[in-house]
Amino acid sequence: MFTPIFRRQLLQSSKHARCFSSTRVVATADVKHLGVIGAGQMGLGIALVAAQKAGVPVTLVDTNQASIDKGLKFADKLLAKDVSKERITQDQADKIRSLLSTTTSMDSLSSVDFVIEAVPEIPSLKFSIFESLAQICQPHTILATNTSSISITRIAASTTKDPTDTSASSRVVSTHFMNPVPIQKGVEIITGLQTSQETVDTAIAFCKKMGKIPSQSADSPGFLANRILMPYINEAIICLETGVGRRDDIDAIMKNGTNVPMGPLQLADFIGIDTCLAIMKVLHEETGDSKYRPSVLLGKMVDAGWLGKKSGKGFYDY
């Protein structure tokens, strides 16, 4: 349950957004074309699920053609697996695959109705992307971010140099999908101060159309999922570096003691050690609370290039 103060803050933010925004946003039924920026694991997963569950064409954008090729290869693998397990037919797989198109130019997003940015957690990169999207996309297009820690209000503010002009910033929202996207049902909907209620409603409805279960969060460091999850993972790493427990024992006690599918160290490998560090830094810097100080070992592993499953080595070898 929300506390009275927290509930009041949410209501105030919603009222401010409604009063600031006068721009029409696209309705869910009118989301006929999705754009996804970033062909990594998250972006590819979002694009594939949108094509498969929502049945909409998706334009996948990445400046690195190699990343696009790798992502499409992974999509083909996932679809082939679904066919082999008789979850879908080959004709259905071919139809889903035909809905995915790729490009290295963000200008190709000029005709989409909804765009989701899924690039690494680098604030300057996200701000630059949203500044460009405000110029490229149509006046009704919803501009969503998959950020797991960066302020939505700050991202929305990057769409204009005039704070009184909310024509673009009112259409900015976070749709934070859980990893891996094709499997996990949860998605966080986070609003900035500028976000309009119409934008929120459409984002929630479209995520449901993708087969997801939305939860709403205020624009606070780490939001809900990572505000809870990352200190848990970070504390597990501190237990490892200080000798409280060994890797296998740490993961085993959490799996067998709390019934989670994988332990915190293995989960960190799947999320990405660099992503874990980036989120902990945001939590620490934005709250100023020492309880969010990143583990020393976490930083050392990033320095060593041991980023988890994606690099072949993390707390485990892959």
Side-chain angles (χ1 to χ4, degrees):
M1 295 293 291
F2 294 142
T3 64
I5 293 175
F6 186 60
R7 189 185 297 111
R8 201 156 52 240
Q9 288 174 337
L10 283 174
L11 288 172
Q12 288 171 347
S13 293
S14 178
K15 287 176 183 176
H16 282 315
R18 282 195 293 270
C19 109
F20 288 159
S21 172
S22 60
T23 303
R24 185 188 75 83
V25 299
V26 65
T28 309
D30 296 327
V31 179
K32 294 181 168 51
H33 192 168
L34 176 70
V36 177
I37 302 174
Q41 186 174 3
M42 291 300 296
L44 187 280
I46 293 167
L48 185 60
V49 170
Q52 184 168 1
K53 300 294 185 181
V56 298
V58 182
T59 298
L60 183 62
V61 182
D62 198 299
T63 56
N64 188 327
Q65 184 62 48
S67 294
I68 291 175
D69 295 340
K70 183 179 179 180
L72 290 179
K73 185 177 180 181
F74 184 54
D76 290 337
K77 180 180 177 181
L78 291 178
L79 289 172
K81 183 178 179 180
D82 282 347
V83 171
S84 69
K85 291 184 176 292
E86 298 184 346
R87 294 169 183 156
I88 58 175
T89 65
Q90 185 59 55
D91 285 346
Q92 288 173 320
D94 292 341
K95 172 63 176 177
I96 294 164
R97 184 63 176 79
S98 71
L99 291 173
L100 299 177
S101 61
T102 63
T103 178
T104 56
S105 172
M106 282 214 322
D107 288 340
S108 300
L109 299 178
S110 61
S111 62
V112 303
D113 305 304
F114 199 117
V115 58
I116 301 173
E117 164 272 312
V119 304
E121 291 291 277
I122 303 171
S124 59
L125 175 59
K126 291 184 186 287
F127 299 157
S128 175
I129 287 173
F130 276 80
E131 181 181 0
S132 297
L133 288 175
Q135 303 300 317
I136 294 170
C137 294
Q138 301 176 77
H140 69 262
T141 303
I142 288 181
L143 311 176
T145 173
N146 187 57
T147 184
S148 55
S149 60
I150 300 168
S151 167
I152 311 308
T153 298
R154 289 180 64 196
I155 291 175
S158 68
T159 62
T160 179
K161 291 180 171 57
D162 179 2
T164 65
D165 177 10
T166 59
S167 57
S169 60
S170 66
R171 295 180 281 116
V172 176
V173 67
S174 175
T175 52
H176 176 215
F177 291 84
M178 303 295 113
N179 188 28
V181 181
I183 296 173
Q184 300 285 32
K185 292 288 187 180
V187 58
E188 276 185 310
I189 306 296
I190 306 114
T191 57
L193 184 62
Q194 311 94 317
T195 310
S196 72
Q197 189 60 48
E198 292 79 8
T199 295
V200 176
D201 292 343
T202 300
I204 290 174
F206 187 67
C207 286
K208 286 181 178 179
K209 191 175 180 180
M210 290 175 64
K212 301 304 179 184
I213 302 173
S215 297
Q216 287 187 257
S217 171
D219 188 11
S220 180
F223 316 130
L224 283 177
N226 284 323
R227 187 73 168 261
I228 298 167
L229 175 64
M230 284 303 160
Y232 157 71
I233 290 176
N234 193 57
E235 190 63 30
I237 299 170
I238 291 173
C239 285
L240 178 66
E241 75 180 11
T242 57
V244 175
R246 297 173 299 179
R247 179 197 69 183
D248 292 352
D249 292 320
I250 291 169
D251 276 356
I253 191 59
M254 297 314 296
K255 286 173 63 178
N256 301 319
T258 64
N259 202 32
V260 292
M262 65 176 69
L265 302 179
Q266 184 183 13
L267 180 56
D269 277 353
F270 275 73
I271 293 171
I273 305 299
D274 53 340
T275 299
C276 292
L277 178 61
I279 295 170
M280 286 306 300
K281 283 182 174 179
V282 169
L283 286 171
H284 190 217
E285 291 168 4
E286 293 197 8
T287 65
D289 194 327
S290 61
K291 73 180 180 182
Y292 297 118
R293 177 187 64 80
S295 159
V296 173
L297 178 57
L298 189 59
K300 285 182 177 179
M301 292 182 72
V302 171
D303 289 341
W306 297 356
L307 307 182
K309 191 174 184 295
K310 62 186 174 184
S311 69
K313 184 173 180 61
F315 293 104
Y316 295 83
D317 293 329
Y318 300 90

